[in-house]
Amino acid sequence: MAEDGRGGESGVSPVIAALLILALTVLLTGVLAVGILSVGMQDPAPAAGIMISENTGVITLAHFSGATLSAGEYAVLVNGIDQTAHFQADERDFGPGMRLTWEYGMTKPLGSVSVVYTGGGRSVVIAEKQFSREGKGEVNAAFTAVIIEGKNATSQVKTGVSGTKPLPGVIAGQADLWVVPDQGSDQVTIAFTADEEGSDLTFSWTSGNGQTASGRTADFVYDSAGSYTVRLDVLNTASGESGSDSMKISVRDPGLSAMTWVKRDTLVTGGFAARTTTGGIGLDRNSGGWAFQYNDPRFFGVEFKVVLTDSVTKSFNHVRSREEMVPGIWYHAAGVVRDSGTTAAETLRIYVNGVYPASAVYDTNPAGLRYLDPSSSAVYVNPSFNVSSYSEVPFPLSGAEIAAVYAAERDDPR
């Protein structure tokens, strides 16, 4: 058989085949590159201007420009260790104009401070500063506080007294010492004493409101409500060793905050749920005290009843939420008296599940009156209601603080 001149086999020429292979290689390389870029590309870390400094043992982070770092998406490292909580930054956004501080102390070694962006599972350093301070031996700078003038409310806030429940950590953790001004002088005086003493020791005190003192003891006066940090720095002049310690003081306006968790059964239509009692005689106008009640929500609902006085006349006052209590459901009721209130709503308030109801009504105008605190009383709970707990502190909590208490306890009212 004769050949046709095209060879014994049919197919593409070697040149064309090579070109096809080259094109296919280029195409696959491009697809692969696009795939890698699409998988690897992430949103860039936020750009933020943050200045880091340290002065007399206090580390300060100052945010002066750029993006706000969202709570939970950044960390503060000191010597490579996460110390975000010490800067109270674990639940706070950090944006321009804000400052975060930590009283780290002057005797511990300080090598580096870093602000790290942790969003999206990454770890990107936003700001960092190196230090070269070596540690020294530390002097004990612990100190104690005794309230000379004013009412100490620390036990009621932190541990509870006479069966009352302490405030949750979201409130109680804000200060080490809680004080209410003396009703006569309208101020608080606290005496502080350092634990250590010795001829080689020098002491330097700051009050948090502009007062200073030297010596082993210091007396500071506070004449307005607020949060103050008392600091003591101790120096051993012989060895050069030093130490520092601090205490947070919360000075609160006089008044009352009473709270309870209560649930009613279907057969219970009304009555008091919890109240103070003096000598077993119930809420007594001449002795003072408070009560939570519930009745027809068209007129009353959850109600706070309290004894107020103008120093001469003593009277029952009511604020009614007109909020219904559905049987079988736990409700958080809070009553607040602010002795310095100038209107009805400033003086006497009720909160139901952390909210001051727009429907609240008053039977009389309580403005200008103050809470009559019974000298000795106990809380009596009506067995017809389910009352799981109750709290009482001798100062008015703010609406935001009442809401925070409710949020902290609502998953477990007990």
Side-chain angles (χ1 to χ4, degrees), residues 180-263:
V180 177
D182 179 80
Q183 288 191 351
S185 64
D186 198 29
Q187 66 181 25
V188 168
T189 303
I190 307 176
F192 300 93
T193 304
D195 289 358
E196 298 295 324
E197 58 181 325
S199 59
D200 292 333
L201 299 181
T202 63
F203 305 88
S204 178
W205 299 86
T206 55
S207 65
N209 67 345
Q211 303 171 81
T212 60
S214 59
R216 184 169 174 249
T217 63
D219 290 358
F220 292 140
V221 176
Y222 301 89
D223 56 11
S224 60
S227 297
Y228 307 94
T229 299
V230 175
R231 176 173 171 136
L232 169 63
D233 291 297
V234 182
L235 174 65
N236 187 316
T237 57
S239 67
E241 297 175 338
S242 61
S244 62
D245 202 356
S246 62
M247 181 181 295
K248 293 182 179 179
I249 313 294
S250 181
V251 178
R252 304 299 297 252
D253 289 324
L256 167 74
S257 294
M259 295 171 283
T260 187
W261 281 96
V262 60
K263 177 174 64 175

Side-chain angles (χ1 to χ4, degrees), residues 343-359:
T343 66
E346 286 181 356
T347 304
L348 181 61
R349 296 176 75 89
I350 187 169
Y351 296 84
V352 179
N353 291 343
V355 176
Y356 175 70
S359 58

Side-chain angles (χ1 to χ4, degrees), residues 74-87 90 102 118:
Y74 70 98
V76 183
L77 308 184
V78 177
N79 298 335
I81 301 173
D82 188 345
Q83 304 287 6
T84 309
H86 285 290
F87 289 87
D90 46 348
W102 177 27
T118 58

Side-chain angles (χ1 to χ4, degrees), residues 136-179:
K136 299 180 180 179
E138 189 166 357
V139 176
N140 176 25
F143 59 90
T144 57
V146 175
I147 298 172
I148 298 175
E149 191 176 21
K151 182 174 183 178
N152 189 347
T154 307
S155 294
Q156 289 169 278
V157 172
K158 290 184 170 292
T159 61
V161 296
S162 303
T164 63
K165 183 179 180 180
L167 300 185
V170 66
I171 303 297
Q174 294 177 6
D176 302 302
L177 191 65
W178 296 76
V179 196

Side-chain angles (χ1 to χ4, degrees), residues 256-262 290-292 302-304 319 321 331-337 348-357 391 397-399 401-403 405-406:
L256 167 74
S257 294
M259 295 171 283
T260 187
W261 281 96
V262 60
W290 54 265
F292 286 105
V302 181
E303 178 183 35
F304 185 54
V319 55
S321 69
Y331 286 83
H332 184 259
V336 175
V337 178
L348 181 61
R349 296 176 75 89
I350 187 169
Y351 296 84
V352 179
N353 291 343
V355 176
Y356 175 70
S391 304
L397 291 169
S398 68
E401 289 172 324
I402 294 290
V405 172
Y406 168 69

Side-chain angles (χ1 to χ4, degrees), residues 12 18 27 42 59 80 92 114 128 171 176 180 212-213 283 355 412:
V12 297
L27 176 62
Q42 300 185 45
I59 300 173
R92 294 177 59 189
S114 308
E128 186 173 54
I171 303 297
D176 302 302
V180 177
T212 60
L283 186 61
V355 176
D412 185 9

Side-chain angles (χ1 to χ4, degrees), residues 276-287:
T276 57
T277 180
T278 304
I281 61 174
L283 186 61
D284 176 33
R285 181 172 59 188
N286 291 319
S287 300

